[in-house]
Amino acid sequence: RDDNDFYIIFNAEAESAVDGSAESFIEKGIYYGTRGDHPRAVESFKKATELEPQMLAAHINLGNAYMYLGDIDAAMSAFQSALRIDPGVASASAYLNLAALYNNNKKDFVAAAQHMEKFLELAPEAPQAPALRQQLEYIKAMAQAQKEGTLGK
C-alpha cells in the first residue's frame, strides 16, 4: 500500500465512525483536524463528549478544535470541562491552553498566571517548562499591575 491507499482507507473509516463509539469519533475528529476541517472536527469531538461525557480526551480535543476556529469562549469551556473531569496531571495541557487563552485573548493575567502555575506544578519536567517559567514571571508582573490598576499607565 502507498500513502494514498492509507488515505482512502482512513478516510472511509473516518466518514463512517466505524463502530459509533466515542473513541471512533475522536479518531474521526483528529482526522478532520489534521486535514484542516475544524468545523467537522468539532462535530466529531462534540459527538464523542455526548457519548462519553467523562472522556477527558474528547473535551481536550474539542477545545483544541475550537481554538483553531477562533472560538475562544467555546475552547475555554471545553478545557474547563476537562478540568472538572480530572484536575490532575492528565489535564495538564488544558491548564496550559487556558493560560494561553487568558493571557493572549482575554488579557486576564491573574487567571493566566494561575493556570500556567498549575501546568508547571503538574508537568515540571515538560520540555517547554523552562521557557514557561520565564514567561510566567512576565505574566505575574502583568497580573500585579492589573490588580493594582496600573496596567498600561
Side-chain angles (χ1 to χ4, degrees):
R1 292 184 178 173
D2 63 18
D3 287 340
N4 194 42
D5 289 335
F6 174 78
Y7 172 81
I8 292 167
I9 291 166
F10 195 81
N11 187 40
E13 290 175 357
E15 287 295 329
S16 64
V18 180
D19 62 6
S21 68
E23 291 85 0
S24 69
F25 279 101
I26 289 174
E27 290 176 16
K28 183 178 177 180
I30 292 168
Y31 169 81
Y32 288 131
T34 61
R35 302 297 183 277
D37 190 349
H38 301 294
R40 288 176 87 181
V42 163
E43 289 174 23
S44 296
F45 295 134
K46 281 173 80 172
K47 184 66 177 174
T49 65
E50 291 166 10
L51 291 170
E52 295 281 342
Q54 298 300 306
M55 184 176 277
L56 187 62
H59 292 278
I60 291 175
N61 283 313
L62 179 60
N64 289 331
Y66 276 130
M67 279 180 34
Y68 282 108
L69 287 175
D71 191 338
I72 302 310
D73 292 330
M76 293 178 83
S77 178
F79 293 132
Q80 289 161 346
S81 292
L83 296 180
R84 283 190 294 278
I85 293 166
D86 182 352
V89 70
S91 293
S93 66
Y95 286 107
L96 185 58
N97 287 333
L98 281 167
L101 292 170
Y102 278 117
N103 184 57
N104 300 329
N105 299 91
K106 297 294 184 176
K107 307 300 183 210
D108 182 343
F109 303 111
V110 173
Q114 291 168 344
H115 285 85
M116 189 173 290
E117 285 175 330
K118 187 64 176 180
F119 170 80
L120 290 168
E121 175 188 319
L122 294 171
E125 301 301 319
Q128 68 270 47
L132 291 174
R133 284 186 191 91
Q134 292 176 344
Q135 183 181 2
L136 180 58
E137 294 308 311
Y138 177 76
I139 294 171
K140 283 182 173 180
M142 298 290 284
Q144 187 61 38
Q146 197 171 48
K147 285 180 188 176
E148 295 170 355
T150 59
L151 187 63
K153 294 184 180 182

